[in-house]
Amino acid sequence: MQFADTKECEEFLCQLLGGDKEPLVREAVNTLKLRSSWYEPKLYRDVLPIIKLNKFLRQKGVYSIRLLNSLGGKVGNWVVLSLNYNAKALKKRAFQLYKGRIQIKDFYDEEKLKKQLLDSIANNDLIEANNLLALLYTKNPWFFKKKDNFELGLNLAEINLEKDELYQANRWYQCLIKEEPDNPLLYLGLGNIYMLSGDLEVAFYYFFTGLDLNPGHLLLCYNTCLLLQSVGEVDLAIEEVEEALKINPQSPFFHKLAGDLKLAEKSRLEEVLEHYKIAVFAMTANEPQELLIQLLNNYSLALAENDDLDVAEKMLHEALNLDENREDTLLNLSAFYGFYKHQNDLAIEYANRVLKTNLDSGKAYHNLGLGYLAKGNWGKARWYLYKAKKLLPQDYMPLNNALVDLRSKRPRS
């Protein structure tokens, strides 16, 4: 609905919502003018700051109100209303107020709505996309039974999850799982939602259920293992990845994951090296480069722990050749030359290369501090280590140990 000016727009909303008979109307309209939008608070985060205003609009049957300066390329004062199915009185009132000047869309054309939905996704209008899918699903409860519709719903669920719209993501995953109760991507998405919201018990339920239905599924196993590791259940995580290896014995991904999980225990270093070795030889051209770079980095550190420094050095440089600006590779090279080879100039050089692309890398400042401390330059070491202290977590033990070492080597005046 387009209006000549903001005053006309404001008056329309006041009259539509009840006029002077409703004590909350003016307050609601003034708040809308400031915020430019209101959406059903159970579904969206953009809510009016006062609970009673939210309740007032919901009771009127309003799903959303948007105040726009332009619509469809036309500049003006626009009001875009989305009303619930039970808002018949509000629709009638809108016609009475501005009959002939507005259009209320009350029809159902599935293909046209699907096109609008695709356009909304392409334009990153997540609110409109969720509204349209809700309409499609409400009008047709069998909507997701069609394969391309299911894929459309899954895509929107994943976009919501990526944008941290956890309520909406959960809503679509729960609808989709009714149609495909064995689909691993649905359990992965639901597990991620509850992991992000901090409900780890439910997250584990979805991850483990998904794995029971899809043994050896790569992403389900990976997320389950990371979550187990985060709560200190490393042994259970290792059991999960070893079960996955029984199904996929030549998977470079699972061998790398097994090596990563066991790397924390020095007593299992031989197992770690064997896993990484198998992973390297199992790599194919179809595997993502990211996996190869991570594998080379981790394998090199395990080799260095095993005193095989020449091969470790070669692997780190192979990883660097694949991506010369990658931060973790440069940090590993800096640590390798500083800690294992005692070549402090090279350690400093690679740490400085990190800062060329990331001035806020606390680990780079930490490595620089260690390098200068080893060279006997206490002043520079102090500057870099305290710079690292501002950027790294307080419980980062390598830095805390370095600061203790720094204080013990402070020059005597």
Side-chain angles (χ1 to χ4, degrees):
M1 292 163 277
Q2 186 178 19
F3 299 89
D5 51 43
T6 55
K7 185 177 180 181
E8 185 179 315
C9 174
E10 179 181 349
E11 188 59 29
F12 165 76
L13 286 172
C14 287
Q15 293 302 317
L16 179 69
L17 296 174
D20 295 334
K21 295 179 181 179
E22 294 279 9
L24 291 176
V25 164
R26 289 290 174 185
E27 189 176 358
V29 172
N30 287 335
T31 308
L32 277 167
K33 285 168 59 182
L34 290 173
R35 296 172 65 84
S36 301
S37 63
W38 178 83
Y39 302 99
E40 163 60 58
K42 289 183 179 179
L43 303 179
Y44 302 105
R45 295 179 179 179
D46 187 1
V47 297
L48 294 179
I50 303 174
I51 294 174
K52 63 183 179 180
L53 295 182
N54 285 319
K55 185 178 179 181
F56 168 69
L57 290 173
R58 285 203 306 271
Q59 288 176 340
K60 290 287 184 181
V62 178
Y63 191 79
S64 69
I65 299 178
R66 303 169 73 186
L67 306 183
L68 305 175
N69 294 322
S70 66
L71 184 66
K74 295 181 181 180
V75 176
N77 297 281
W78 292 87
V79 174
V80 180
L81 282 174
S82 179
L83 304 178
N84 292 330
Y85 68 91
N86 59 348
K88 294 179 181 179
L90 217 58
K91 290 181 183 179
K92 184 178 179 180
R93 180 67 173 157
F95 271 124
Q96 290 173 344
L97 288 169
Y98 286 99
K99 189 172 182 180
R101 296 180 58 185
I102 63 174
Q103 290 184 348
I104 296 181
K105 297 181 179 179
D106 192 16
F107 63 90
Y108 178 69
D109 184 332
E110 186 167 295
E111 290 306 314
K112 188 171 182 179
L113 288 173
K114 279 174 63 177
K115 184 180 183 305
Q116 290 177 16
L117 172 55
L118 290 168
D119 290 342
S120 299
I121 292 173
N123 294 329
N124 294 314
D125 191 344
L126 195 54
I127 292 170
E128 183 69 13
N130 284 316
N131 281 342
L132 287 165
L133 188 57
L135 177 59
L136 285 161
Y137 188 61
T138 301
K139 293 288 187 179
N140 179 10
W142 297 275
F143 180 75
F144 291 130
K145 289 187 180 296
K146 192 175 178 182
K147 183 173 176 56
D148 64 335
N149 293 345
F150 183 93
E151 294 297 326
L152 184 57
L154 179 59
N155 182 35
L156 188 56
E158 290 173 344
I159 292 171
N160 276 289
L161 178 56
E162 182 183 335
K163 300 292 186 182
D164 205 29
E165 294 290 344
L166 302 185
Y167 177 89
Q168 286 288 8
N170 185 60
R171 178 189 188 188
W172 300 129
Y173 281 124
Q174 295 291 358
C175 291
L176 294 167
I177 209 167
K178 296 174 186 176
E179 303 301 330
E180 294 190 12
D182 296 341
N183 191 312
L185 297 180
L186 305 181
Y187 292 95
L188 180 67
L190 287 164
N192 285 335
I193 287 170
Y194 286 98
M195 184 170 65
L196 290 170
S197 62
D199 194 338
L200 301 189
E201 184 177 350
V202 180
F204 276 126
Y205 166 78
Y206 281 113
F207 286 149
F208 281 125
T209 302
L211 279 174
D212 288 342
L213 296 168
N214 304 274
H217 188 272
L218 188 147
L219 290 177
L220 276 171
C221 181
Y222 178 70
N223 283 27
T224 304
C225 289
L226 287 190
L227 190 54
L228 285 168
Q229 185 182 38
S230 72
V231 297
E233 296 290 350
V234 179
D235 289 339
L236 286 177
I238 291 171
E239 287 180 18
E240 285 297 325
V241 75
E242 286 180 342
E243 286 298 314
L245 280 169
K246 291 177 183 177
I247 299 169
N248 303 290
Q250 291 302 310
S251 166
F253 181 90
F254 285 134
H255 277 291
K256 176 192 170 294
L257 180 57
D260 294 347
L261 291 169
K262 296 176 181 180
L263 189 57
E265 298 181 43
K266 289 188 176 182
S267 62
R268 306 186 79 159
L269 187 56
E270 287 188 11
E271 291 180 62
V272 171
L273 291 169
E274 184 63 20
H275 280 300
Y276 287 153
K277 180 180 177 181
I278 295 173
V280 166
F281 283 104
M283 288 290 295
T284 67
N286 295 325
E287 302 293 345
Q289 181 173 283
E290 172 70 16
L291 177 62
L292 178 58
I293 294 175
Q294 289 182 7
L295 175 58
L296 290 172
N297 269 283
N298 293 4
Y299 196 2
S300 66
L301 295 179
L303 287 166
E305 281 294 306
N306 201 45
D307 294 324
D308 198 344
L309 300 185
D310 291 339
V311 180
E313 182 177 19
K314 181 180 178 182
M315 281 197 172
L316 279 171
H317 282 283
E318 285 181 8
L320 188 63
N321 288 336
L322 293 171
D323 185 349
E324 62 181 14
N325 294 315
R326 189 181 173 95
E327 184 170 334
D328 58 347
T329 305
L330 291 168
L331 287 171
N332 286 337
L333 277 162
S334 175
F336 173 79
Y337 283 116
F339 185 77
Y340 293 104
K341 285 230 164 182
H342 308 292
Q343 296 178 13
N344 298 305
D345 289 333
L346 280 174
I348 290 169
E349 177 187 331
Y350 284 108
N352 275 319
R353 283 181 61 176
V354 173
L355 296 179
K356 289 181 180 179
T357 56
N358 181 11
L359 277 172
D360 293 323
S361 173
K363 289 184 179 180
Y365 289 111
H366 172 236
N367 286 5
L368 284 167
L370 292 177
Y372 281 111
L373 190 60
K375 285 169 68 71
N377 190 330
W378 191 88
K380 279 192 173 182
R382 181 183 183 278
W383 191 92
Y384 284 116
L385 289 176
Y386 276 95
K387 177 70 174 179
K389 187 179 180 181
K390 295 179 181 179
L391 298 167
L392 291 171
Q394 291 184 355
D395 59 353
Y396 186 64
M397 288 310 299
L399 175 60
N400 293 334
N401 294 336
L403 290 170
V404 171
D405 193 24
L406 176 75
R407 296 184 191 106
S408 71
K409 295 177 179 177
R410 181 171 182 167
R412 304 299 178 195
S413 55

